[in-house]
Every structure is written in structure tokens, then in C-alpha cells.
Amino acid sequence: MKTKVKELRNKANLTQQQLADLVYVSSRTIISIEKEQYNPSLMLAYRMAEVFGTTVEDLCCLKENKELEDKQREDL
Amino acid sequence: MKIYDKKKFAFGVMYFLLGLGLLILGFLKGFDAEKIILTILMFLIGISEMYLSTNREAVKQEKFEETEERNQLIKLTSKSRAFDLTQRTNFVLVALFLIIGGQSGDQRFIAMGVAVAISFSVSIFSELFSRIYYERHM
């Protein structure tokens, strides 16, 4: 799933380890989220959104991802 | 000294006692290379487990690694894949043993086929019951 984690983390001048410590996960989890290999849990998404002062909807590009999913469903 | 992880400490004590048992057995019946390596390994594992169980930071880090959400997903996925692979291997082995047994008439192959078939059916039933349980509780 596409997210804005990398973009917002760079804007906030945080390293992957610093963000990981703030949201109680390992830096590998942050790396995987940024590589779009792992979808964060709702609670983790909320914690990250709180760190960046944004909403889960914005952080996880929910509108965009929903449209993409709808398109994939139509193609089935 | 405070014990932060009692389970880990108990494992450490168990390994240490096993090492001690092997050492006593070695003195009574004599040592060979295999026994010496095993005894040293048991002592090392036992002592390191006991030490780690009393180290607050190490226990905290281990608990963190255990409960971390991506690690939990990786553990679940890898266990599920391993189970799938084992189930498929069992199925192939059952078919193979029964075919060879049937063709050659050797009862040992049939017996091996039946033994693997029991393990295969246990895996099928455990999967079925787990599915029923989680259908109701999730």
C-alpha cells in the first residue's frame, strides 16, 4: 500500500530509527512500510499520523488506495 | 539479582542441570569427544539463558521483538507456509509409498504409507478444527 511515511519523515527530519522508537516498532518495520512491502496496523498508522500531525487518511493515502482497489476489483 | 523472565531462567536451569548430569555421567562412564562438546554446549546455553533472564534490557528487547507487529506477521506467515509445505510433502509421500507398496507387494512401504497418512490426516483435521474455531471467534 502506498503511504506518505517517507515523505513526511523526511519533512520532519527524522531517521527511520527515530520514527521507529517514537511509534514502538523496529526500524525494519518502517523500512518495509516505506518500500510498500508491509501495511501498518490501524494503531501503528494512527501513532505515525500523530507524530507527523496529520490524519491516518492522509498518511496512508486512503482515497487513492481505495480508488486503486476499486479499479482492481472492476478488472476481476 | 532479580529474575525478569522466569520461563527463560527455568530453561537456563534445566540446560545447566543437563550439563551437570552429563558431566557426572562422564566421570562415571568416561568422556568422548561428543559428550565433551555436548556438556560444554549445555553449560554455555544454561549460563547464557540464566544471565539473559536477569538482564532487564535483554529481556525488554526480546519481549519487544516478540510482540512487534511485523515480526508477529512474519512468524504467522512462515509457520503457515511451513505447515502447507509439510502437508503437501506428506500427501506426496503417502501416494508414493502406497504406489510402491502396491506395485512391489512389500508390506513395509504400505506401513510407511499408513504412518504418513495418519500424520497427514492429523494435519487436515487440525486445520479444519482451527478454521471452525476462528470462523466463530474472529
mmCIF file of all heavy atoms in Angstrom, chain A residues 46-68:
data_model
loop_
_atom_site.group_PDB
_atom_site.id
_atom_site.type_symbol
_atom_site.label_atom_id
_atom_site.label_comp_id
_atom_site.label_asym_id
_atom_site.label_seq_id
_atom_site.Cartn_x
_atom_site.Cartn_y
_atom_site.Cartn_z
ATOM 1 N N TYR A 46 -2.111 5.167 13.137
ATOM 2 C CA TYR A 46 -2.590 6.278 13.974
ATOM 3 C C TYR A 46 -1.430 6.917 14.751
ATOM 4 O O TYR A 46 -1.321 8.140 14.821
ATOM 5 C CB TYR A 46 -3.674 5.770 14.928
ATOM 6 C CG TYR A 46 -4.253 6.842 15.815
ATOM 7 C CD1 TYR A 46 -5.020 7.871 15.273
ATOM 8 C CD2 TYR A 46 -4.004 6.848 17.182
ATOM 9 C CE1 TYR A 46 -5.541 8.875 16.079
ATOM 10 C CE2 TYR A 46 -4.521 7.839 17.994
ATOM 11 C CZ TYR A 46 -5.281 8.856 17.441
ATOM 12 O OH TYR A 46 -5.783 9.852 18.232
ATOM 13 N N ARG A 47 -0.547 6.053 15.276
ATOM 14 C CA ARG A 47 0.606 6.567 16.021
ATOM 15 C C ARG A 47 1.506 7.423 15.111
ATOM 16 O O ARG A 47 1.982 8.489 15.500
ATOM 17 C CB ARG A 47 1.438 5.415 16.584
ATOM 18 C CG ARG A 47 0.870 4.779 17.818
ATOM 19 C CD ARG A 47 1.828 3.716 18.343
ATOM 20 N NE ARG A 47 1.184 2.783 19.235
ATOM 21 C CZ ARG A 47 0.934 3.016 20.521
ATOM 22 N NH1 ARG A 47 1.288 4.166 21.054
ATOM 23 N NH2 ARG A 47 0.342 2.108 21.261
ATOM 24 N N MET A 48 1.738 6.931 13.877
ATOM 25 C CA MET A 48 2.590 7.681 12.953
ATOM 26 C C MET A 48 1.926 8.995 12.545
ATOM 27 O O MET A 48 2.578 10.037 12.465
ATOM 28 C CB MET A 48 2.909 6.822 11.719
ATOM 29 C CG MET A 48 3.884 5.712 12.007
ATOM 30 S SD MET A 48 4.531 4.899 10.542
ATOM 31 C CE MET A 48 3.081 4.106 9.924
ATOM 32 N N ALA A 49 0.613 8.918 12.310
ATOM 33 C CA ALA A 49 -0.121 10.134 11.936
ATOM 34 C C ALA A 49 -0.019 11.177 13.040
ATOM 35 O O ALA A 49 0.148 12.372 12.773
ATOM 36 C CB ALA A 49 -1.581 9.784 11.652
ATOM 37 N N GLU A 50 -0.082 10.710 14.293
ATOM 38 C CA GLU A 50 0.030 11.613 15.440
ATOM 39 C C GLU A 50 1.410 12.266 15.480
ATOM 40 O O GLU A 50 1.519 13.461 15.744
ATOM 41 C CB GLU A 50 -0.195 10.808 16.719
ATOM 42 C CG GLU A 50 -1.373 11.311 17.515
ATOM 43 C CD GLU A 50 -1.514 10.560 18.835
ATOM 44 O OE1 GLU A 50 -0.615 9.782 19.232
ATOM 45 O OE2 GLU A 50 -2.540 10.762 19.457
ATOM 46 N N VAL A 51 2.456 11.468 15.202
ATOM 47 C CA VAL A 51 3.831 12.002 15.194
ATOM 48 C C VAL A 51 3.961 13.099 14.138
ATOM 49 O O VAL A 51 4.565 14.139 14.373
ATOM 50 C CB VAL A 51 4.856 10.867 14.933
ATOM 51 C CG1 VAL A 51 6.234 11.436 14.630
ATOM 52 C CG2 VAL A 51 4.942 9.928 16.123
ATOM 53 N N PHE A 52 3.368 12.862 12.952
ATOM 54 C CA PHE A 52 3.510 13.826 11.852
ATOM 55 C C PHE A 52 2.443 14.925 11.896
ATOM 56 O O PHE A 52 2.443 15.819 11.049
ATOM 57 C CB PHE A 52 3.417 13.095 10.508
ATOM 58 C CG PHE A 52 4.532 12.099 10.285
ATOM 59 C CD1 PHE A 52 4.254 10.818 9.847
ATOM 60 C CD2 PHE A 52 5.849 12.444 10.514
ATOM 61 C CE1 PHE A 52 5.272 9.898 9.644
ATOM 62 C CE2 PHE A 52 6.881 11.533 10.317
ATOM 63 C CZ PHE A 52 6.591 10.256 9.886
ATOM 64 N N GLY A 53 1.531 14.848 12.845
ATOM 65 C CA GLY A 53 0.474 15.849 12.966
ATOM 66 C C GLY A 53 -0.476 15.830 11.777
ATOM 67 O O GLY A 53 -0.893 16.871 11.273
ATOM 68 N N THR A 54 -0.802 14.656 11.323
ATOM 69 C CA THR A 54 -1.740 14.528 10.203
ATOM 70 C C THR A 54 -2.793 13.451 10.527
ATOM 71 O O THR A 54 -2.857 12.979 11.666
ATOM 72 C CB THR A 54 -0.979 14.201 8.894
ATOM 73 O OG1 THR A 54 -1.893 14.165 7.826
ATOM 74 C CG2 THR A 54 -0.244 12.877 8.971
ATOM 75 N N THR A 55 -3.597 13.097 9.545
ATOM 76 C CA THR A 55 -4.609 12.060 9.785
ATOM 77 C C THR A 55 -4.159 10.742 9.147
ATOM 78 O O THR A 55 -3.309 10.736 8.251
ATOM 79 C CB THR A 55 -5.953 12.467 9.152
ATOM 80 O OG1 THR A 55 -5.733 12.635 7.754
ATOM 81 C CG2 THR A 55 -6.497 13.740 9.752
ATOM 82 N N VAL A 56 -4.766 9.643 9.593
ATOM 83 C CA VAL A 56 -4.463 8.329 9.011
ATOM 84 C C VAL A 56 -4.844 8.331 7.535
ATOM 85 O O VAL A 56 -4.120 7.798 6.690
ATOM 86 C CB VAL A 56 -5.221 7.207 9.768
ATOM 87 C CG1 VAL A 56 -5.023 5.858 9.109
ATOM 88 C CG2 VAL A 56 -4.770 7.141 11.221
ATOM 89 N N GLU A 57 -5.954 8.984 7.232
ATOM 90 C CA GLU A 57 -6.441 9.047 5.853
ATOM 91 C C GLU A 57 -5.393 9.673 4.925
ATOM 92 O O GLU A 57 -5.113 9.155 3.843
ATOM 93 C CB GLU A 57 -7.739 9.866 5.817
ATOM 94 C CG GLU A 57 -8.413 9.819 4.467
ATOM 95 C CD GLU A 57 -9.696 10.640 4.432
ATOM 96 O OE1 GLU A 57 -10.138 11.142 5.487
ATOM 97 O OE2 GLU A 57 -10.246 10.774 3.336
ATOM 98 N N ASP A 58 -4.793 10.755 5.419
ATOM 99 C CA ASP A 58 -3.780 11.444 4.610
ATOM 100 C C ASP A 58 -2.480 10.636 4.560
ATOM 101 O O ASP A 58 -1.908 10.443 3.487
ATOM 102 C CB ASP A 58 -3.531 12.839 5.217
ATOM 103 C CG ASP A 58 -2.457 13.587 4.437
ATOM 104 O OD1 ASP A 58 -2.592 13.684 3.205
ATOM 105 O OD2 ASP A 58 -1.485 14.057 5.068
ATOM 106 N N LEU A 59 -2.053 10.140 5.725
ATOM 107 C CA LEU A 59 -0.782 9.400 5.800
ATOM 108 C C LEU A 59 -0.802 8.156 4.921
ATOM 109 O O LEU A 59 0.174 7.845 4.241
ATOM 110 C CB LEU A 59 -0.507 8.999 7.261
ATOM 111 C CG LEU A 59 0.766 8.197 7.494
ATOM 112 C CD1 LEU A 59 1.987 9.099 7.451
ATOM 113 C CD2 LEU A 59 0.725 7.490 8.839
ATOM 114 N N CYS A 60 -1.914 7.451 4.937
ATOM 115 C CA CYS A 60 -1.988 6.183 4.197
ATOM 116 C C CYS A 60 -2.609 6.345 2.810
ATOM 117 O O CYS A 60 -2.898 5.333 2.158
ATOM 118 C CB CYS A 60 -2.764 5.152 4.999
ATOM 119 S SG CYS A 60 -1.933 4.720 6.521
ATOM 120 N N CYS A 61 -2.781 7.576 2.366
ATOM 121 C CA CYS A 61 -3.359 7.867 1.039
ATOM 122 C C CYS A 61 -4.609 6.997 0.804
ATOM 123 O O CYS A 61 -4.718 6.317 -0.234
ATOM 124 C CB CYS A 61 -2.349 7.600 -0.071
ATOM 125 S SG CYS A 61 -0.724 8.263 0.205
ATOM 126 N N LEU A 62 -5.512 7.002 1.782
ATOM 127 C CA LEU A 62 -6.637 6.071 1.730
ATOM 128 C C LEU A 62 -7.530 6.265 0.507
ATOM 129 O O LEU A 62 -7.981 5.303 -0.106
ATOM 130 C CB LEU A 62 -7.466 6.157 3.015
ATOM 131 C CG LEU A 62 -6.777 5.616 4.269
ATOM 132 C CD1 LEU A 62 -7.703 5.669 5.471
ATOM 133 C CD2 LEU A 62 -6.303 4.187 4.060
ATOM 134 N N LYS A 63 -7.778 7.540 0.134
ATOM 135 C CA LYS A 63 -8.629 7.816 -1.019
ATOM 136 C C LYS A 63 -8.031 7.194 -2.281
ATOM 137 O O LYS A 63 -8.695 6.489 -3.029
ATOM 138 C CB LYS A 63 -8.782 9.325 -1.195
ATOM 139 C CG LYS A 63 -10.218 9.771 -1.218
ATOM 140 C CD LYS A 63 -10.295 11.260 -1.326
ATOM 141 C CE LYS A 63 -11.682 11.694 -0.873
ATOM 142 N NZ LYS A 63 -11.801 13.132 -0.770
ATOM 143 N N GLU A 64 -6.734 7.474 -2.470
ATOM 144 C CA GLU A 64 -6.012 6.992 -3.643
ATOM 145 C C GLU A 64 -5.969 5.464 -3.679
ATOM 146 O O GLU A 64 -6.215 4.839 -4.715
ATOM 147 C CB GLU A 64 -4.580 7.527 -3.555
ATOM 148 C CG GLU A 64 -3.922 7.781 -4.891
ATOM 149 C CD GLU A 64 -2.549 8.382 -4.674
ATOM 150 O OE1 GLU A 64 -2.447 9.392 -3.930
ATOM 151 O OE2 GLU A 64 -1.597 7.839 -5.235
ATOM 152 N N ASN A 65 -5.662 4.881 -2.511
ATOM 153 C CA ASN A 65 -5.573 3.412 -2.436
ATOM 154 C C ASN A 65 -6.933 2.754 -2.648
ATOM 155 O O ASN A 65 -7.017 1.681 -3.231
ATOM 156 C CB ASN A 65 -4.991 2.983 -1.088
ATOM 157 C CG ASN A 65 -3.488 3.167 -1.033
ATOM 158 O OD1 ASN A 65 -2.784 2.826 -1.979
ATOM 159 N ND2 ASN A 65 -2.994 3.728 0.044
ATOM 160 N N LYS A 66 -7.985 3.437 -2.174
ATOM 161 C CA LYS A 66 -9.346 2.878 -2.347
ATOM 162 C C LYS A 66 -9.714 2.870 -3.830
ATOM 163 O O LYS A 66 -10.245 1.882 -4.356
ATOM 164 C CB LYS A 66 -10.362 3.714 -1.567
ATOM 165 C CG LYS A 66 -11.780 3.175 -1.636
ATOM 166 C CD LYS A 66 -12.725 4.080 -0.868
ATOM 167 C CE LYS A 66 -14.149 3.792 -1.232
ATOM 168 N NZ LYS A 66 -14.602 4.514 -2.427
ATOM 169 N N GLU A 67 -9.398 3.980 -4.509
ATOM 170 C CA GLU A 67 -9.685 4.057 -5.953
ATOM 171 C C GLU A 67 -8.945 2.965 -6.719
ATOM 172 O O GLU A 67 -9.504 2.328 -7.616
ATOM 173 C CB GLU A 67 -9.305 5.435 -6.490
ATOM 174 C CG GLU A 67 -10.364 6.485 -6.198
ATOM 175 C CD GLU A 67 -9.870 7.910 -6.447
ATOM 176 O OE1 GLU A 67 -8.806 8.079 -7.076
ATOM 177 O OE2 GLU A 67 -10.550 8.845 -5.982
ATOM 178 N N LEU A 68 -7.691 2.764 -6.335
ATOM 179 C CA LEU A 68 -6.870 1.730 -6.977
ATOM 180 C C LEU A 68 -7.465 0.338 -6.758
ATOM 181 O O LEU A 68 -7.534 -0.480 -7.678
ATOM 182 C CB LEU A 68 -5.454 1.798 -6.389
ATOM 183 C CG LEU A 68 -4.334 1.232 -7.245
ATOM 184 C CD1 LEU A 68 -3.983 2.217 -8.353
ATOM 185 C CD2 LEU A 68 -3.100 0.981 -6.388
#
